Amino acid sequence: MPHDGSAGAGLPQPDAAGAGLPQPETAGAGLPQPETAGAGLPQPDAAGAGVSDTSVPPEAETPVGVRALAFAGAASAVLYVPDADSDDLRSVETAGHAPAEYGLLERVALSGGSPAARAFRARRPLWLTPAALGSCPEGSPAPPRARTSLGALPLVTGGRRLGCLVVGAGENGFEAEQQHFLERYADTVADVLAGEAGTGGGRPPARLSSALRRMRVGSFVLVPETGVLDADETLRELFGIDPDDFDGTADSVLARALPEDLPALMSVLEPSTGASGRRRLDFRVRCPTGEMRWLSLSCRVAAGAGDRPEQVLGVVTALHRGDDDVSRIQWLTAMLDEATTVRDVSQVMVTALHEFLGADRVALAELQHERLQVTLLDPPQRAAWPRSWRPQWRAEWPDAPLSALPTLRRALRDGRMGLWPASTAFEPGLDGIGPGGLAVLPLPAKGEAAGACLIGWDRPHEFAPRERSLLTATAALAGQALTRAHAHDAEQELATMLQRSLLPRRLPGLPGGTVVARYLPARRGLQVGGDWYDVIALSEDRVALVIGDVQGHSAAAATIMGQMRTAVRAYAVEGHPPDVVVSHANRLLVGMETDLFATCCYAELDMDEGDVLFVRAGHVAPLLRHPDGSAEEVQVEGGLPLGISMDADFPMTAVALAPGMMLALVTDGLVEAADLSLDEGMRRARATLAKADPADPGRVADDLLGDRGRREDDVALLLLRYDGMKTRPVRSGWVVWRLPDAVMHARRFTARTLRRWKVEEATDAVLLVVSELVTNALVHTQGPVRLELVLRGDRVRVCVSDSSPRAPAKPVIVDWESTGGRGLLLVEAVSESFGTVPVAGGKQVCSEIAVPGREPASVGAGPGVEGGDRS
């Protein structure tokens, strides 16, 4: 910044009352008023102090214009454009002090020797000291401002010369940082001018202020004693502060800073007594969207009586990567800190090396067991890389043995960076990566090489000393990040294996329906959570659909999830009704004495009749799509989540399904988030389900998931399309009395039923099975016995239920002289299938007998029955 011998150079000089500084308490404070347009801008010297500028129109300035230009060292700025009616440059906009005080005229000849004309013709910036200005034939400041400096910056875009920007400062001129900022500012002004072409007439906009806003330069005035902060709109945008959330205090700004950068920022914004002069700080803020942003703050502390800081004036800009090596390393450090996976680290490195060094090729590889496992290649096309890599190209990237790359192996062994100029001959494994220059960077971590980075240029590239330092620092940061990311990836892989082992590997094919499932882990922390789903085949025509969610995202949540899924499945296959299954699971979780609870939705479906019994324990309601395209939430009576109370009640709700309906069971991760209420999420899910094409359940499930982006929670989804049974089964039942002739009555009932069904061909085999099963139930069990016959297609199903949970045992050896023990062997011999299933209060022994000459049943009413789809 300029130094003219005064402590406050480049900033307004306060007196005891704080005069000359913008006052945030008053409207328009900190802005030049029409009567004193130069107030608040840097004074070029003491000689002209107090000179007013009545030529600056009120609309020529905005808060951002005055404050930002002041910190760029510019006391006056004039925008010149070519005059369409003459061979001149004419002034169309000014800012700050009167241009005449710096010898800046309203018009200058294009062919003259003024700084504006010379810069316009040469198409390059001119930075003129007082001595250089003294030799100018025109455009030199007249006394008393003879000891001033000027900068003339041509405005050029797309090869077109649009004008010239001239800025004035004190006798010490502009520092390199200020020159860099003003050159970027001039480029932006040129873009603003170019954008005006063809917009028609009317009053031209304030180009100088528009350019500053486009550059996103924010400004502020802070009163440290009260914490009152006058911040313009651009500054609030840079910090990601909504206007409605800004309370006019410094705390609103400090709350956005990253914790590790907060102490340095507070030391600047809360200066101690005696602190004065200019300060600069680069820091990071976290926006509400989660984006981390680098900002650069430049400020000036103005002290009052007793050297107490009265005001802090400053500007904030977005820190551009590549401004300097320090900024580059700061940005790279921050980005690698955000990268969690090996893929993320590789992508950050590729981006950095392309931007920092203009590299044409970048390859990043991990070193694993003497082999290079390439994690990222840019560009990704095979043709851009050595031919020897192509035969080993697997799936996405090559896996090259280190022995085939002696140059790289030597660099990894020695741990030294290798830089080779253009036209260096390499082994075939490296040939063509960098014809204009090749850099091989070992990536050190914990005393050994974690991997390697290859950087290639197509055109001849000179390795400057500063590039060597930058590459060394980059390699060290990348090696540490790669090691950390590899450990993270290994942890995530273990978590994924754990999650997959706890969820069903495949879903069963259902008669009369299709079921699909989807599961997505949360994209934060350990990607293992408590969401689960299951499809349990209870019998040939009954199935249970289960979905649940254990609180939390941790190994503990996953462990509880696995136990709950196993428990629910065990209770279900025992034959308990839905309310008993959920009640048993609740008592189990309460007895485990864990701090975690779980929600669950259990649905038992009769595939023949389409009847569903729902039980909901604290879970979101299921969704139902009707054949006409409408969708609704199923009104299922709810109970407490599992694990809350031992005596919780879980009522059942009955719902009838018709062919063509789709049932969706979801977890709250699908319909609720920090920025999405549960009601709105359910509304969106219903709308998506209504618009979906039921012909493809898998596509419907994917549509419901949508683009989840950065997921805060696990997402589980279970979707059933109910097609119904094309051939409805025929049923008939009989309660067996415990009388001496009970088996005779059972046989007579069976014979009558078979004649009514016109399947007499199977009578002998069916009567044999009925006799044996009923006899066993009466002899070996107590309580009621029930016989049920079912005809479906070409099969007659015989089911005998009793109150004993013990399955019938077949004898291992039957003696020739034995008078019994052969019944189950005979049943098994004449049956197409035979087995036992548990039911509530006992068991059911079932046998299926084929009916000769009948067509087999077709189970699906739709286009066909698919197997389960799980992803």
Side-chain angles (χ1 to χ4, degrees):
M1 302 302 292
H3 301 282
D4 56 6
S6 61
L11 282 172
Q13 303 303 309
D15 55 20
L21 283 173
Q23 304 300 321
E25 295 84 356
T26 61
L31 305 183
Q33 304 307 314
E35 299 82 10
T36 58
L41 285 172
Q43 309 299 318
D45 57 22
V51 177
S52 64
D53 175 22
T54 58
S55 64
V56 179
E59 67 273 10
E61 290 297 345
T62 63
V64 71
V66 172
R67 295 171 181 169
L69 287 176
F71 278 87
S76 179
V78 181
L79 174 61
Y80 290 98
V81 298
D83 190 355
D85 300 327
S86 64
D87 193 19
D88 293 338
L89 291 173
R90 63 182 179 88
S91 170
V92 294
E93 192 174 332
T94 63
H97 285 278
E101 298 174 14
Y102 293 84
L104 303 177
L105 307 177
E106 287 286 335
R107 288 177 175 271
V108 295
L110 278 172
S111 58
S114 66
R118 291 165 55 193
F120 182 84
R121 294 194 303 266
R123 299 193 184 196
R124 60 182 179 84
L126 296 178
W127 302 102
L128 304 174
T129 63
L133 282 172
S135 62
C136 286
E138 58 178 303
S140 298
R145 294 195 182 273
R147 305 299 297 172
T148 60
S149 304
L150 289 180
L153 301 102
L155 307 178
V156 182
T157 180
R160 297 168 52 207
R161 292 181 294 186
L162 302 177
C164 186
L165 177 67
V166 181
V167 291
E171 66 175 307
N172 291 320
F174 299 91
E175 296 179 353
E177 181 183 353
Q178 295 172 325
Q179 292 179 9
H180 180 64
F181 173 83
L182 289 170
E183 288 173 1
R184 288 199 298 117
Y185 177 48
D187 292 339
T188 311
V189 173
D191 292 338
V192 172
L193 286 173
E196 293 178 11
T199 58
R203 185 175 182 179
R207 292 99 161 181
L208 299 181
S209 297
S210 298
L212 287 168
R213 283 191 292 269
R214 182 176 294 190
M215 292 175 65
R216 304 189 71 191
V217 179
S219 63
F220 68 91
V221 177
L222 171 67
V223 180
E225 184 175 354
T226 63
V228 175
L229 182 72
D230 176 22
D232 62 21
E233 179 183 359
T234 305
L235 185 135
R236 294 195 300 268
E237 291 177 354
L238 289 172
F239 278 84
I241 302 175
D242 189 272
D244 296 334
D245 298 333
F246 182 63
D247 59 4
T249 66
D251 291 339
S252 298
V253 172
L254 293 172
R256 299 293 188 191
L258 264 64
E260 52 267 36
D261 293 347
L262 188 58
L265 186 60
M266 291 181 64
S267 68
V268 172
L269 298 182
E270 298 179 0
S272 58
T273 300
S276 62
R278 180 178 298 278
R279 296 185 177 187
R280 186 181 182 278
L281 174 69
D282 294 340
F283 62 99
R284 295 165 291 176
V285 296
R286 179 76 67 183
C287 297
T289 59
E291 173 194 3
M292 191 195 73
R293 185 177 294 164
W294 275 96
L295 301 178
S296 179
L297 180 148
S298 181
C299 68
R300 168 75 181 176
V301 181
D307 286 339
R308 294 182 59 187
E310 286 193 348
Q311 289 182 323
V312 179
L313 295 86
V315 293
V316 175
T317 59
L319 189 63
H320 292 270
R321 302 196 301 268
D323 285 349
D324 52 63
D325 289 347
V326 174
S327 299
R328 290 170 172 171
I329 294 300
Q330 286 179 327
W331 174 85
L332 182 59
T333 302
M335 294 303 295
L336 288 176
D337 185 59
E338 293 281 313
T340 55
T341 67
V342 172
R343 182 77 174 184
D344 294 338
V345 171
S346 304
Q347 191 60 62
V348 170
M349 285 292 296
V350 168
T351 301
L353 294 171
H354 276 308
E355 293 193 8
F356 294 174
L357 304 174
D360 296 298
R361 290 179 189 81
V362 178
L364 197 75
E366 283 187 282
L367 184 59
Q368 296 290 334
H369 309 296
E370 290 297 308
R371 294 187 69 85
L372 283 175
Q373 297 181 357
V374 181
T375 59
L376 192 65
L377 298 177
D378 191 81
Q381 292 79 18
R382 297 190 185 195
W385 298 93
R387 289 184 177 274
S388 60
W389 291 21
R390 300 175 194 175
Q392 300 187 72
W393 209 280
R394 296 173 182 167
E396 188 175 10
W397 309 122
D399 183 8
L402 192 56
S403 58
L405 305 171
T407 300
L408 185 55
R409 185 175 187 176
R410 187 163 50 251
L412 291 172
R413 182 193 60 202
D414 298 338
R416 296 180 181 179
M417 174 176 59
L419 304 177
W420 288 274
S423 302
T424 302
F426 293 104
E427 59 266 27
L430 297 180
D431 186 40
I433 296 178
L438 177 66
V440 177
L441 303 184
L443 306 179
K446 298 181 180 180
E448 58 184 17
C453 183
L454 306 179
I455 311 166
W457 290 264
D458 288 335
R459 291 176 294 181
H461 183 80
E462 297 294 333
F463 296 99
R466 55 174 291 274
E467 284 188 356
R468 296 172 180 264
S469 301
L470 182 62
L471 288 171
T472 300
T474 300
L477 291 172
Q480 298 171 13
L482 198 62
T483 301
R484 184 179 65 250
H486 183 74
H488 175 272
D489 284 355
E491 184 181 64
Q492 292 300 326
E493 183 178 359
L494 180 61
T496 300
M497 292 176 60
L498 171 64
Q499 190 82 59
R500 289 177 177 174
S501 68
L502 296 176
L503 293 174
R505 291 189 176 183
R506 62 182 181 86
L507 302 181
L510 301 181
T514 302
V515 63
V516 298
R518 296 290 185 267
Y519 175 82
L520 297 175
R523 286 183 175 174
R524 60 182 177 88
L526 191 65
Q527 293 184 14
V528 60
D531 286 17
W532 92 88
Y533 61 87
D534 206 351
V535 179
I536 309 168
L538 303 176
S539 66
E540 183 185 48
D541 51 12
R542 288 190 307 123
V543 63
L545 307 178
V546 192
I547 196 161
D549 183 3
V550 177
Q551 172 197 10
H553 307 91
S554 62
T559 301
I560 295 296
M561 177 268 282
Q563 292 172 314
M564 293 307 298
R565 175 179 171 249
T566 302
V568 170
R569 171 173 279 269
Y571 295 137
V573 298
E574 282 184 357
H576 298 293
D579 55 344
V580 176
V581 171
V582 177
S583 180
H584 283 1
N586 172 65
R587 296 174 69 88
L588 175 67
L589 185 56
V590 172
M592 292 170 64
E593 298 183 350
T594 176
D595 294 332
L596 302 178
F597 63 86
T599 65
C600 176
C601 184
Y602 184 99
E604 183 178 313
L605 172 62
D606 185 330
M607 299 300 294
D608 286 336
E609 305 295 336
D611 296 330
V612 187
L613 289 176
F614 286 102
V615 175
R616 187 162 66 94
H619 204 79
V620 295
L623 300 173
L624 188 62
R625 183 190 188 277
H626 296 275
D628 62 1
S630 61
E632 63 173 340
E633 292 182 31
V634 182
Q635 299 304 313
V636 177
E637 189 174 355
L640 290 174
L642 307 180
I644 300 296
S645 171
M646 184 75 75
D647 300 322
D649 185 33
F650 301 99
M652 291 191 295
T653 302
V655 176
L657 297 185
M661 287 185 173
M662 297 190 74
L663 177 65
L665 306 181
V666 303
T667 57
D668 58 356
L670 179 72
V671 294
E672 190 176 24
D675 57 348
L676 181 66
S677 67
L678 178 60
D679 290 341
E680 176 62 17
M682 293 294 282
R683 186 196 66 78
R684 294 183 184 180
R686 291 196 307 271
T688 302
L689 194 60
K691 293 186 297 184
D693 180 7
D696 187 354
R699 179 65 178 272
V700 176
D702 294 336
D703 291 343
L704 283 170
L705 291 180
D707 183 11
R708 303 303 300 168
R710 186 185 180 91
R711 293 185 297 275
E712 301 172 354
D713 197 0
D714 304 348
V715 176
L717 166 65
L718 198 58
L719 187 69
L720 167 74
R721 185 188 68 202
Y722 179 67
D723 300 325
M725 309 295 274
K726 186 175 181 180
T727 303
R728 299 291 296 273
V730 183
R731 303 174 184 273
S732 186
W734 174 268
V735 176
V736 180
W737 304 327
R738 287 189 174 271
L739 298 173
D741 55 354
V743 176
M744 179 191 69
H745 289 290
R747 288 171 59 88
R748 287 179 177 178
F749 162 75
T750 302
R752 291 195 306 268
T753 303
L754 296 179
R755 285 195 300 270
R756 187 171 69 251
W757 288 350
K758 295 180 173 51
V759 288
E760 293 90 342
E761 300 89 342
T763 299
D764 292 340
V766 173
L767 290 178
L768 172 63
V769 171
V770 169
S771 298
E772 294 297 335
L773 296 185
V774 170
T775 299
N776 280 346
L778 292 174
V779 171
H780 299 291
T781 70
Q782 301 295 323
V785 176
R786 178 176 176 81
L787 168 64
E788 184 175 8
L789 303 177
V790 181
L791 173 64
R792 179 187 288 117
D794 65 337
R795 299 290 177 95
V796 174
R797 185 177 179 88
V798 178
C799 299
V800 177
S801 303
D802 58 60
S803 58
S804 171
R806 296 182 60 182
K810 291 183 295 184
V812 178
I813 299 175
V814 178
D815 189 84
W816 285 105
E817 298 181 356
S818 299
T819 58
R822 300 180 179 86
L824 292 181
L825 297 176
L826 292 173
V827 170
E828 190 173 22
V830 299
S831 300
E832 296 295 323
S833 64
F834 172 71
T836 305
V837 294
V839 296
K843 68 176 179 296
Q844 189 176 68
V845 183
C846 300
S847 166
E848 281 193 353
I849 299 97
V851 180
R854 287 181 64 93
E855 293 293 331
S858 177
V859 296
V865 178
E866 303 175 26
D869 176 17
R870 171 185 179 272
S871 63

